[in-house]
Amino acid sequence: MTEATMTLDGPLGKDELDLIHRYWKAANFLSVGQIYLLDNPLLRQPLTRDHIKPRLLGHWGTTPGLNFIYAHLNRVIRARDANVIYICGPGHGGPGMVANTYLEGSYSEIYPDVAQDADGLAKLVRQFSFPGGIPSHASADTPGSIHEGGELGYALVHAYGAAFDNPSLVVACVIGDGEAETGPLAASWHSNKFLSPVHDGAVLPILHLNGYKIANPTVLGRMSDAELEQLFSGFGYEPFFVEGSDPEPMHQAMAATLDTAFGRIAAIQAEARAAGHAHARPRWPMIILRSPKGWTGPKEVDGKKVEGFWRAHQVPIANVRDNAGHLALLDAWLRSYEPDTLFDEKGRLMPELAALAPSGNRRMGANPHANGGLLKRELKLPDFHDYAVAVPSPGATTAEATRVMGSFLRDVMAMSAETRNFRIMGPDETASNRLDAVFETTDRVWMEGIESYDDHLSQDGRVMEVLSEHLCQGWLEGYLLTGRHGFFSCYEAFIHIIDSMFNQHAKWLKVSRDLAWRRPIASLNYLLTSHVWRQDHNGFSHQDPGFVDLVANKKADIVRIYLPPDANTLLWTTDHVLRTYDRINVIVAGKQPAPQWLTMDEAVLHCEAGIGIWTFAGNEDDHGEPDVVMACAGDVPTLETLAAVDILRKALPQLKVRVVNVVDLMTLQAKEQHPHGLTEREFESLFTRDKPVIFAYHGYPYLIHRLTYRRTNHQRLHVRGFVEEGTTTTPFDMTVMNGLDRYHLAMSAIERVPGLAVSAAAVMQKLRDKLIEHHRYVRAHGEDMPEIRDWVWPGRG
Amino acid sequence: MTEATMTLDGPLGKDELDLIHRYWKAANFLSVGQIYLLDNPLLRQPLTRDHIKPRLLGHWGTTPGLNFIYAHLNRVIRARDANVIYICGPGHGGPGMVANTYLEGSYSEIYPDVAQDADGLAKLVRQFSFPGGIPSHASADTPGSIHEGGELGYALVHAYGAAFDNPSLVVACVIGDGEAETGPLAASWHSNKFLSPVHDGAVLPILHLNGYKIANPTVLGRMSDAELEQLFSGFGYEPFFVEGSDPEPMHQAMAATLDTAFGRIAAIQAEARAAGHAHARPRWPMIILRSPKGWTGPKEVDGKKVEGFWRAHQVPIANVRDNAGHLALLDAWLRSYEPDTLFDEKGRLMPELAALAPSGNRRMGANPHANGGLLKRELKLPDFHDYAVAVPSPGATTAEATRVMGSFLRDVMAMSAETRNFRIMGPDETASNRLDAVFETTDRVWMEGIESYDDHLSQDGRVMEVLSEHLCQGWLEGYLLTGRHGFFSCYEAFIHIIDSMFNQHAKWLKVSRDLAWRRPIASLNYLLTSHVWRQDHNGFSHQDPGFVDLVANKKADIVRIYLPPDANTLLWTTDHVLRTYDRINVIVAGKQPAPQWLTMDEAVLHCEAGIGIWTFAGNEDDHGEPDVVMACAGDVPTLETLAAVDILRKALPQLKVRVVNVVDLMTLQAKEQHPHGLTEREFESLFTRDKPVIFAYHGYPYLIHRLTYRRTNHQRLHVRGFVEEGTTTTPFDMTVMNGLDRYHLAMSAIERVPGLAVSAAAVMQKLRDKLIEHHRYVRAHGEDMPEIRDWVWPGRG
């Protein structure tokens, strides 16, 4: 128990205290109403079973605390004209967020049908968790929300993402004590090591300990204040405790603590901004609020403890329709808020209470930062043609694709230096992924001490590196949701760490795209590099190309997957994805020196189509069809396919080969399944109607089958890809282990062209011998055979 | 700087100090040798380019610190006859783990070819990161390892998993400061809230701060000692600092600190074990070791800082073959360890050094806990028939499948009360997932304070609940890898949180299955419940059935996916998976009251086949084939399929319908792709050769296509499943939103049976009308139509 909760005096005068308490009661009343009521929202008729929803869905336990915080944030916003958004970690406290945005008026502005009158109130309570209504969480439907919170763990990292480069913003972030047990949340506390008091806004974490999750006490809830004080001091915060259950001292304590916290934030920022930098990482304030779960709800139900216990988590009184005692208990509970003192005859919030909410865009439900598309400015982009790699003939040039991309990103970074609306995130891999040209124009942001020998660290950098894919992803989501742009580069295998965050963001986008009032936000762009085929040095744990399989399950409108085979196609793709909105774009591209295939002009044509025949590589006649189609998607598969074609053309010059390269994986799907999908006619014009197709694919081969199963004669597609074989070995050996190498590809073609296997038996034997020779060579020499390392497309020179 | 590092005296006498220092030098020498050398391991010839590997792959930076810790743990093991395993968080420090197990002899016992002599040494250095040799990380190939560490974040949670129910074991867990930035690791510190000093062993976390990751300083590395002290005190530990770079005081400090830490552990355990319980959660010791990255390596290379900086991360001196200066630098570096003072003429470690290692199973490379299959005891299981739900006729009984399973698990728990070798993990969902019968025999383990009104919490419970899927997964992995058994129940959508951990465990199993010396461990078993179709109350964020898609990408030998449609099939499946080893089994099953289809005897037959025709549901003749096959996998799809069949049979009695139910999803794959796959003949005997198949599938429909694309006439398969439509609504409305409901299924059948669409036009119209009626009803009443809720299979009664 802290000092603040022991004393009855505080910053609130008696009237103000009474008003804020009644405001809280109004929010609690509407929250309970949403969970239970079909109608009769003001209880102006006697409550009957017909007023009760047949299915009671919702979460009460966290809600009164969320409402308490909302009311007090309203006060501090008004007192300071503060610019605040509210991130509700316990997003299942949706009734509270809806109640508060309704009370402040922002809800009815967006949903005029749910007006601030008796009729609107009836709609408000009925729609909650009701078919055709609104979901139970603080989803995209909820004004002021950038965080649904259904999956726990990401509240604080979203808050920081929102605060970066938003110097006037304070992000109040409520973290439930359940959420505080998760890994991503635990790591998020360290985000203060990356927040500049000069360029960024502030995050005010409010750890809301009500002590319980669904059926258990919580770890942090049962820790002592002394341990919590140490823990959060250790994380670099100045913790303030607000603890208790008696409303009057709790209001005083919360008001006093928020005054102190906002004062601290202002002082920290003023000092740093005056100096132009922070002389040390600031010790930002945070609040630890201990209040009872289900506060103000029923103490007991059927003789069992409810308030202050986990039984308050969801619907504290069940079976209300058919249990008269329960109905009476609900009636008493609802009436304990004295609704007639809160709403006037017409069902409007009493004017003295309505006056407590901020006005206009200062209302947290109307703050444009929580509808980032409103604030989004298009990113200034240089002309990507200027970064083109010269490709005098296919394969004639060697380049590192991501290094070329890095030059482009450097200038995107430079052109956004003033607007500060573009960041690059990565788990310590920006340089490793060869994007280090960006350090010519910005640094890695770093609020810890900086040594003389450190490399491109500064307090105002816009590259964010931390060894946590969760933080990279969450920061970027928060940054995009508040109207900015960004890029996340990651080792391909470890992007699976954020699978579930990706899922949730895709779901958010799917819902928000159907809400006209939510303006489009910039797409979430991934560069997956250090990919499966070139993790030969790190071994099996680093070899996993399966993220795109997850991506392909999401709604077609939301997701795109690009596999540019060289630097110029990667440039086009990078430029393209930075111009899109409300999508998730995944680019898979290598960082190693590799042959370049297309001039910039060719790359543009190829990428705009997303798929195409590489005529330079094939040897078909002008008329008729090839004997075999060699298809490829991904840089290494493209290289191996061209090498296989080289073998086939030399060994079997009569064989007519076509090469099809796929940049945009979604072209393979049927047109009716994905907007980028080829029509059947287009598909056949590329792949023929019935010729064998040997498809060398970057990832798990099943994905190609799943995308093409509807295509004519699908069974002629023979796909090779990663089949979960790997270790520390040579790059070419990785392809051999998985049967994606030039020899296997050439053998597959020979096997599948009718009649060829017999006539080409000698060629087949030579290919098998090559595989044996390779096997022996790498084990003897530890590197690939010279003929592999030195192979160039014969068109060269 | 702590006291310990300031003083030169300490527990080590001069001779002992000298010996341990030389032992460390030997490990460092062999580590550098592995990274660089093809041959000439003892430098008994002048070092030339031909002795250098053509590709230099490995990580030096962390290795000397790992070696330092290993040498000191050896000392403390010998001094106390301690039972210790070493979890190497920075698993890319593989050269160090290999060097140490080689020096102690455990390596050569497992790999006799790499003997403790000059020839063996040559093989040792050559094989590292070399094709056909060993990988660069502390993978399954490495003796003493249960943790590859390629993906960072799981060292500490694995350590705790290993310690549970292993009262004599001390798990020394080295956590790199890069890893310490990850979310899962950050949450893992709280595992001390679940570790009993009576029943469990101890975990000794050694936070190894060398200050840098790949190209950046680390967050924890740059934090002050004062903040670190607060942070880890707040997490509940007693931190001890060992800091410096001068070997002599560092050895003294490390030895003194390990003595203190092991003393603390012994005292904590002795006190609690004498009392039979802990009077409060113990404050376990931990060590914070600050030492230079690349310690003892080159200070500078080409004028750039290396030792004590991130440039030491991987291979500090590059391009050694072609740069004479670099070759000389490497030569000097290697010789700085004075190999001739470490190894005798025959290449054997000097006897006085060899004597420093523990012997037999006390050697950390030979400790059987790190090869858990050696210690695994079969789980005692009750007869699952005893828990069978009586099913007098199909659909005649209603039961909650997971509740029935809970009774079985209760008795598994009871039967393992003495052996304490079975645990259930879940993110606060054991009761919510209706497995709460287990609380009749055990509790949730909880080391925090326990209140009188708390429900089934105790210090010795074997149900582990924490709101972190990462911790549940990691604890279970550590528990299984050390030879025990377990079960992880999770909300289906949120299992994606551990996608990447699943990946890494699957990779570990794949590699370890090929190592004869690694004995099989118990399978990792998931129950995914609260699944997509019954998360109607929590909404879209809780609706995602995609985990099995990820699972299906893994090696066929490793993974199994079961979708039991009712309680008896779930019982069989539960019993079955608990008997398997070296696998990952995923069970998807609902928890809601639902109709029961099969008697126990029928369930056994059905599950053993994995797929089968439900003759009770179809109406085919004894001869000939049906007109349509209605296939289903999953409880809700099975229910909707049977309801659709009911509609079809009543409306179109002449239509011959077959119902096929799939329990084991892998039966759908071709036999050559998966050991459980049906032959083509078996497949056709179930699905016919060419009749339309309407397949109602629990998850994303693409998975069924990807599993069956090779099947005859695959294009006749029409799959319905989750197509990413969801919100808070009614259960049946969820199926309608995704077209998986009985009406859509019946319509699909009618559309696809040749000629039927015209003759059944009236039926089609009626089905369309039903969908409209449903839509109106749920929006008016907030629950499903009575005819939906009350539907029963007509065979009933």
Side-chain angles (χ1 to χ4, degrees), chain B residues 479-528:
Chain B
Y479 199 69
L480 300 176
L481 285 161
T482 48
R484 283 79 62 76
H485 305 260
F487 215 94
F488 179 4
S489 97
C490 189
Y491 276 32
E492 184 186 42
F494 301 142
I495 197 69
H496 273 300
I497 291 171
I498 55 78
D499 277 3
S500 211
M501 299 180 79
F502 156 82
N503 267 345
Q504 297 299 335
H505 190 67
K507 285 174 182 284
W508 177 278
L509 290 178
K510 188 222 171 223
V511 173
S512 65
R513 284 168 76 123
D514 289 338
L515 300 167
W517 63 273
R518 285 247 174 226
R519 307 305 303 150
I521 61 168
S523 298
L524 200 165
N525 301 311
Y526 295 100
L527 170 69
L528 306 186

Side-chain angles (χ1 to χ4, degrees), chain B residues 210 300 313 404 564 577 598:
Chain B
N210 65 32
E300 284 195 354
H313 184 73
V404 175
V577 300
L598 302 185

Side-chain angles (χ1 to χ4, degrees), chain B residues 537-682:
Chain B
H537 57 302
N538 275 318
F540 199 36
S541 65
H542 286 53
Q543 295 158 354
D544 190 301
F547 182 66
V548 294
D549 295 54
L550 185 86
V551 172
N553 277 345
K554 295 295 139 184
K555 277 286 170 190
D557 283 347
I558 308 290
V559 294
R560 300 288 184 272
I561 302 167
Y562 299 96
L563 294 146
D566 65 2
N568 288 338
T569 49
L570 177 59
L571 274 173
W572 180 92
T573 308
T574 307
D575 175 80
H576 175 74
V577 300
L578 289 174
R579 295 174 187 277
T580 66
Y581 50 85
D582 276 354
R583 282 199 199 135
I584 301 177
N585 298 302
V586 183
I587 306 174
V588 186
K591 67 184 186 185
Q592 301 292 344
Q596 302 298 302
W597 307 112
L598 302 185
T599 66
M600 196 72 243
D601 288 343
E602 290 165 347
V604 169
L605 283 175
H606 184 51
C607 291
E608 282 180 353
I611 185 169
I613 298 173
W614 278 11
T615 49
F616 76 81
N619 64 343
E620 357 174 17
D621 305 322
D622 287 347
H623 311 292
E625 286 195 326
D627 300 311
V628 63
V629 177
M630 303 294 283
C632 45
D635 52 5
V636 167
T638 299
L639 171 66
E640 290 305 314
T641 292
L642 290 185
V645 169
D646 185 22
I647 291 169
L648 288 170
R649 288 178 58 176
K650 283 176 179 148
L652 300 164
Q654 78 286 8
L655 183 72
K656 297 302 167 202
V657 181
R658 173 182 294 177
V659 173
V660 172
N661 183 269
V662 184
V663 176
D664 175 349
L665 212 56
M666 293 306 173
T667 57
L668 297 175
Q669 274 197 297
K671 187 90 192 158
E672 58 275 23
Q673 290 179 302
H674 195 284
H676 285 199
L678 299 178
T679 63
E680 195 54 33
R681 194 192 189 102
E682 289 166 336

Side-chain angles (χ1 to χ4, degrees), chain A residues 23 30 57 109 135 158 212 223 231 249 271-272 310 388 463 517 521 554 564 567 585 623 626 638 653 708 723 749 771:
Chain A
Y23 196 95
L30 292 186
L57 310 177
E109 286 171 21
H158 283 167
Y212 299 90
M223 282 167 63
L231 182 64
E271 186 190 335
W310 53 255
V463 173
W517 62 274
I521 61 167
K554 295 295 139 186
N585 298 301
H623 310 294
T638 298
T708 59
V723 290
L771 284 168

Side-chain angles (χ1 to χ4, degrees), chain A residues 216 465 499 507 536 543, chain B residues 55 216 465 499 507 543:
Chain A
N216 269 306
E465 300 211 322
D499 277 4
K507 285 174 182 284
D536 43 280
Q543 295 159 352
Chain B
R55 303 175 73 227
N216 269 305
E465 300 212 321
D499 277 3
K507 285 174 182 284
Q543 295 158 354

